[in-house]
Amino acid sequence: MASIDIRNVRKNFGIVSVLHGVDLAIENGEFVVLVGPSGCGKSTLLRMIAGLEEVTEGEIRIDGVRVNERAPKDRDIAMVFQSYALYPHMNVAENMSYGLRIRKAAREKITAAVSNAARKLELQPLLARRPKALSGGQRQRVAMGRAIVRQPKAFLFDEPLSNLDARLREQMRAEIKKLHRDLGATSIYVTHDQIEAMTLADRIVAMHEGVVQQVGSPLELYDRPANLFVAGFIGSPAMNFLSARYEFGGSTAGARLPDGTLIGLSSGYQLEQGAAVTLGIRPEHVEMSPASESSLRATVDLIEPTGFGIILHLGLHGLPFNVFTLDRAALTAGPTVTVAFPPQHLHLFDETGKRALESGLQKRKS
Amino acid sequence: MNRYSIFGTALHRLAILCYVVFALFPLFWLLKVSVTPNDLLYSEGVRMWPSQMSFEHFRFVLAHSAFPIFFRNSMIVAGATAVIVTLLASLSGYALSRFTFRGKYWLVALMLLTQMFPLVMLVAPIFKMLSPLGLTNSLTGLVVVYTAFNIPFATFLMQSFFDGIPKELEEAAKIDGATQFMAFRQIILPLTLPGIAATLGFVFTAAWSELLFALMLISGNSAATFPVGLLTFVSKFSVDFGQMMAAGVLALIPACLFFLFIQRYLVQGLTAGAVKG
């Protein structure tokens, strides 16, 4: 187990720059998820930690030791690939023991480590099989077994569940989490799936276009997204955004929508009077309410029952707007509904897309 | 199955049969003439099989002609060429498949260039180059020339096999603790066996049946390979068809054995795409 320090790491492929200075400190035993859309540089960062890509600039330290120039084999890390990358000409036991065998470990030690890992992952009956005789989930398990057999300093996961079907993915997700709880090993996990990120991570690193957007616990990212990108990326269905102008007067603050409706805010913000802002609200926080001064009328475009709840696709001044509700009455919603935004669930972003800083308005009020 | 598709299948099989017969008939004729006694060769007219079989041609070729020497020479030249070319081509094919390096583009272009013109053009310059080196009239010279001419194609062939192996496999091996070369030897090479077998087979048969350079670079029987040797059965006044065909049949044997030996891997090669992950 180890801590991993990433200091101002940059990566260029030729003239294309894919990582623009990433700083990240991963503590011993932590489970960190790198999440972002494809092409955001998360896999590249992981491969740099593994030693599969060179570091253009900056420094990567494992347990305080600079590893930039070290070959992957000398970094003592393990990696689980999206394609599993099992050796097709070796059986399961040989696949799992390969790392120990080429490090010339004692035979008894290898046997013990393999059977131990096989027991943990319920692979004992499959040890003599070749990868092609395994199902996707079993291959995935073998790939994890190959990683844990060596007891490396850290585990790297590169979208390990992307090739599995939905049900299996949920199951393996839980197994990875259990495995991390049991082994307590430092883990870095790359995914584009925000649900995986939310459920697995101690800390999420949200990335976009080669820049870290926000680092924090899953709930921090959900409750207080640092910018429009994180707000839109974390959460499903995605957050709704409305453009508005910030207004304050005396002890109240609000956001004025283009149609003139004033949405009340629970706090003041460090913004100029009339500043252009983006108002964000998650579909699950929108209230379906009887008409009032601050409520909005929206047309119903589409109703999607998910079984658990209902997603309403609305049109608000011609813009798409989603609502998620558990109330089955919504299934029979008419051509229009009225929606209201509870102030405590509103997110305000300034012109540059950053989360607007709150000011002491609320305190003055109380 | 409806009538149309039965008819279609029959037609399809018939067409294949025609091609196979067309391709194999010369071989059959080779065999037929080789076992026909000399006195029946011209007297019986065109027959599919002689009324009397004899192995006198084989006996003569093996015991009284220089054929065993030709055969040995061919084995040495084709075997050595196949091994050397495959070894070099697998290394260079791997490099082309996996690494980016300066001048790669020009290297590939240069290798393609060597495949673009007829070899006849090169006979004279090659002779001029080899003769001061003492490599004319020598098996080594032939091996050098064949190796040089086969490497570009064999490299491309091997490269395509390496391209078919997912890069993650050797990345996984490197993370598991292997060096680049260990990953190549322990993970990639075993998976490329079908490709290696195909390359060996291709180069072996090419070198085995090469006539042009063998004819130009070799004079005299001691270093002659078997295609050149076959010409010794053509004398000024007659062609000894029986003996020539017998020698031909014998020359087929190693090629057949060779393909029998590597066929297992060739068949695997057809399913190589199935190894992923």
Side-chain angles (χ1 to χ4, degrees):
Chain A
M1 273 176 282
S3 61
I4 297 172
D5 273 315
I6 295 160
R7 292 182 191 168
N8 193 26
V9 161
R10 290 166 191 276
K11 176 70 186 176
N12 301 337
F13 289 110
I15 54 163
V16 184
S17 175
V18 292
L19 284 178
H20 314 287
V22 171
D23 283 289
L24 191 62
I26 295 163
E27 280 164 39
N28 196 356
E30 205 177 7
F31 199 115
V32 168
V33 175
L34 308 180
V35 71
S38 36
C40 72
K42 56 192 190 303
S43 280
T44 306
L45 181 59
L46 192 78
R47 292 168 58 82
M48 285 161 92
I49 298 169
L52 298 173
E53 300 283 356
E54 276 176 34
V55 178
T56 311
E57 209 183 304
E59 198 173 58
I60 295 177
R61 287 171 176 266
I62 298 180
D63 261 350
V65 181
R66 178 185 161 100
V67 295
N68 286 32
E69 291 77 22
R70 279 201 196 173
K73 70 184 178 73
D74 301 322
R75 299 191 183 196
D76 196 15
I77 35 93
M79 184 154 165
V80 179
F81 292 83
Q82 180 177 355
S83 62
Y84 320 131
L86 300 180
Y87 312 128
H89 57 303
M90 298 184 191
N91 66 26
V92 169
E94 287 163 347
N95 258 289
M96 296 211 298
S97 61
Y98 180 72
L100 289 174
R101 281 187 283 133
I102 55 178
R103 281 158 209 263
K104 306 237 179 339
R107 187 166 299 170
E108 307 83 62
K109 194 185 154 201
I110 296 177
T111 324
V114 169
S115 68
N116 197 8
R119 198 175 51 245
K120 249 184 214 128
L121 294 160
E122 294 165 24
L123 285 171
Q124 288 118 318
L126 308 175
L127 285 177
R129 286 212 202 157
R130 291 276 177 91
K132 68 175 169 203
L134 301 176
S135 71
Q138 288 166 336
R139 288 180 196 181
Q140 181 57 55
R141 250 183 259 261
V142 176
M144 303 232 292
R146 188 169 65 183
I148 64 176
V149 156
R150 244 177 45 225
Q151 298 185 317
K153 282 184 178 162
F155 291 109
L156 309 179
F157 298 89
D158 191 2
E159 311 220 10
L161 305 183
S162 299
N163 286 1
L164 301 176
D165 63 51
R167 180 170 294 272
L168 206 51
R169 201 177 320 166
E170 270 174 34
Q171 199 184 326
M172 290 306 295
R173 200 169 71 199
E175 279 190 36
I176 290 178
K177 192 153 191 176
K178 262 188 242 161
L179 206 63
H180 178 251
R181 190 188 60 197
D182 295 347
L183 301 173
T186 312
S187 305
I188 306 178
Y189 188 107
V190 162
T191 180
H192 61 263
D193 179 347
Q194 50 99 16
I195 303 274
E196 259 171 43
M198 293 291 284
T199 50
L200 284 170
D202 292 328
R203 264 198 311 160
I204 294 180
V205 178
M207 295 178 66
H208 183 47
E209 290 177 348
V211 177
V212 171
Q213 306 288 321
Q214 190 174 3
V215 182
S217 74
L219 289 183
E220 262 173 67
L221 265 69
Y222 179 83
D223 290 338
R224 294 183 59 79
N227 55 37
L228 280 173
F229 170 78
V230 178
F233 192 79
I234 301 286
S236 170
M239 189 185 276
N240 298 298
F241 297 115
L242 300 165
S243 17
R245 296 211 167 263
Y246 180 69
E247 282 183 13
F248 65 92
S251 60
T252 58
R256 179 81 64 189
L257 296 183
D259 71 335
T261 320
L262 186 70
I263 309 284
L265 298 170
S266 62
S267 144
Y269 290 85
Q270 297 176 13
L271 291 168
E272 308 260 310
Q273 182 79 266
V277 291
T278 304
L279 198 62
I281 182 153
R282 296 195 181 278
E284 55 270 38
H285 293 147
V286 177
E287 279 176 4
M288 314 268 286
S289 68
S292 73
E293 198 178 305
S294 63
S295 71
L296 292 162
R297 182 156 288 276
T299 56
V300 178
D301 289 341
L302 193 68
I303 300 174
E304 282 185 331
T306 64
F308 169 62
I310 295 147
I311 302 169
L312 293 172
H313 293 253
L314 307 179
L316 196 66
H317 308 312
L319 297 171
F321 189 91
N322 293 340
V323 174
F324 180 81
T325 173
L326 297 178
D327 183 2
R328 293 204 173 177
L331 274 177
T332 56
T336 61
V337 291
T338 44
V339 291
F341 307 151
Q344 72 274 20
H345 287 308
L346 286 171
H347 306 264
L348 205 67
F349 303 95
D350 66 19
E351 236 172 339
T352 61
K354 284 207 187 81
R355 185 178 192 85
L357 293 174
E358 287 173 35
S359 67
L361 184 69
Q362 217 168 13
K363 274 179 195 152
R364 276 209 306 272
K365 229 167 92 180
S366 57
Chain B
M1 210 189 265
N2 61 32
R3 273 178 72 175
Y4 177 77
S5 72
I6 291 175
F7 180 71
T9 312
L11 209 67
H12 174 227
R13 296 289 147 83
L14 199 71
I16 292 178
L17 192 73
C18 286
Y19 274 112
V20 171
V21 168
F22 186 73
L24 291 184
F25 189 76
L27 287 180
F28 166 73
W29 208 247
L30 184 79
L31 192 70
K32 183 240 163 191
V33 174
S34 73
V35 296
T36 307
N38 266 342
D39 46 347
L40 294 182
L41 195 57
Y42 298 108
S43 60
E44 279 199 318
V46 179
R47 286 178 64 135
M48 290 308 282
W49 200 253
S51 56
Q52 212 189 339
M53 254 173 72
S54 119
F55 290 101
E56 57 175 292
H57 299 312
F58 287 93
R59 226 169 292 133
F60 180 86
V61 164
L62 287 175
H64 302 293
S65 74
F67 184 79
I69 296 171
F70 304 152
F71 194 82
R72 191 207 63 189
N73 290 344
S74 267
M75 278 304 268
I76 293 173
V77 171
T81 306
V83 169
I84 295 172
V85 167
T86 307
L87 204 69
L88 293 176
S90 58
L91 293 173
S92 54
Y94 182 72
L96 286 182
S97 166
R98 288 297 195 262
F99 306 133
T100 45
F101 47 87
R102 198 175 304 174
K104 181 175 170 177
Y105 176 83
W106 293 107
L107 194 72
V108 170
L110 201 67
M111 280 167 55
L112 271 177
L113 199 70
T114 63
Q115 307 288 298
M116 282 180 186
F117 39 83
L119 293 180
V120 187
M121 283 168 54
L122 298 176
V123 171
I126 293 261
F127 189 86
K128 211 65 180 149
M129 278 162 62
L130 291 193
S131 94
L133 296 170
L135 288 175
T136 53
N137 215 8
S138 100
L139 296 181
T140 318
L142 277 187
V143 171
V144 169
V145 172
Y146 291 170
T147 302
F149 284 118
N150 277 303
I151 274 187
F153 182 78
T155 297
F156 292 133
L157 195 66
M158 285 307 296
Q159 185 198 347
S160 70
F161 278 100
F162 287 122
D163 283 345
I165 294 174
K167 218 175 175 173
E168 283 103 2
L169 283 182
E170 56 194 309
E171 291 180 346
K174 279 196 236 169
I175 287 177
D176 263 349
T179 59
Q180 179 87 42
F181 188 71
M182 277 162 90
F184 173 69
R185 200 169 53 86
Q186 297 177 345
I187 306 297
I188 305 305
L189 216 50
L191 296 174
T192 330
L193 281 181
I196 290 174
T199 309
L200 271 176
F202 172 80
V203 178
F204 185 87
T205 38
W208 183 260
S209 54
E210 206 283 335
L211 177 63
L212 182 64
F213 280 94
L215 200 60
M216 295 301 165
L217 296 178
I218 305 293
S219 51
N221 279 355
S222 66
T225 56
F226 119 84
V228 179
L230 276 188
L231 293 177
T232 60
F233 294 102
V234 182
S235 67
K236 205 167 182 180
F237 302 107
S238 69
V239 180
D240 208 329
F241 279 115
Q243 288 167 12
M244 195 187 207
M245 298 297 173
V249 170
L250 291 173
L252 277 177
I253 292 174
C256 288
L257 283 179
F258 194 81
F259 272 93
L260 210 64
F261 169 69
I262 63 171
Q263 127 183 294
R264 193 159 71 92
Y265 299 105
L266 281 179
V267 173
Q268 264 182 26
L270 298 177
T271 58
V275 299
K276 184 170 190 246

